[in-house]
Amino acid sequence: MKSICVYCGSSMGNNPAMKEVAAELGQELAERQVSLVYGGASIGLMGVLADACLAKGGRVIGVIPGFLDTVEITHKGVTEIIRTESMHQRKTEMAERAEGFIAMPGGFGTLEELAEILTWGQLGLVQKPIGILNVNGYYDPLMIFMDHMLKNELIREDHLSLFVIRDNVKELLEDMESFEVSKTDHRQKLGLT
């Protein structure tokens, strides 16, 4: 993978480990010469991630809708900034520029981005590695909910193979590098082909 889109919070959260892991991920991407594609903000976990990547000489592409410039405060030091008209355009632009995706801790926006990219994977619209960085068990409740969805037969077992989840940056990146997109033709099973 030459580029990874990272979804994460524009807030810092109250757990110092989240900030530490954001910095670690940014540094690791730079060291691996993997371009960071992210939401373009200079604040919160997004800012920490971008700053750490830049500090190690990494390439950082920020994608932000114009209306969020005053809320999330666009990062002025990134390699490239792309302004979009809407959130939908932002997510599409990020997905097109990335060869893989990582969800770090975040709020509603991060959860929505993760759910959307998993859905795109389920539908066969993206066939790229998806990783969840489970800092201090942040995503444990989501995994419990996914198991609940499976038990209620609203997702299938093979849908859980659309992503890898790890609590360690290096292990997650290594697993994503060797990740094989599911051979299951989800589009065919859904009657889309």
Side-chain angles (χ1 to χ4, degrees), residues 26-144:
Q27 292 166 2
E28 190 67 27
L29 292 176
E31 288 172 7
R32 292 173 183 247
Q33 297 182 331
V34 175
S35 295
L36 166 63
V37 179
Y38 86 116
S42 63
I43 58 175
L45 296 175
M46 282 200 275
V48 171
L49 173 72
D51 288 342
C53 189
L54 290 166
K56 286 281 189 177
R59 178 169 162 67
V60 178
I61 302 165
V63 184
I64 192 165
F67 78 91
L68 277 182
D69 190 30
T70 57
V71 178
E72 291 188 346
I73 310 170
T74 303
H75 199 302
K76 306 295 186 214
V78 296
T79 312
E80 181 181 357
I81 194 76
I82 299 160
R83 282 187 173 76
T84 63
E85 295 292 318
S86 69
M87 293 294 283
H88 295 293
Q89 288 174 338
R90 177 197 218 181
K91 291 181 292 183
T92 300
E93 188 74 34
M94 291 166 75
E96 288 174 355
R97 290 176 173 268
E99 294 179 7
F101 306 88
I102 293 176
M104 283 194 55
F108 288 146
T110 302
L111 182 61
E112 187 264 340
E113 288 164 329
L114 174 59
E116 182 170 73
I117 208 65
L118 287 172
T119 302
W120 289 6
Q122 178 186 16
L123 296 174
L125 300 174
V126 296
Q127 296 183 327
K128 302 172 183 180
I130 301 168
I132 298 174
L133 190 49
N134 194 22
V135 181
N136 283 5
Y138 185 79
Y139 281 106
D140 288 354
L142 180 62
M143 300 312 298
I144 291 168

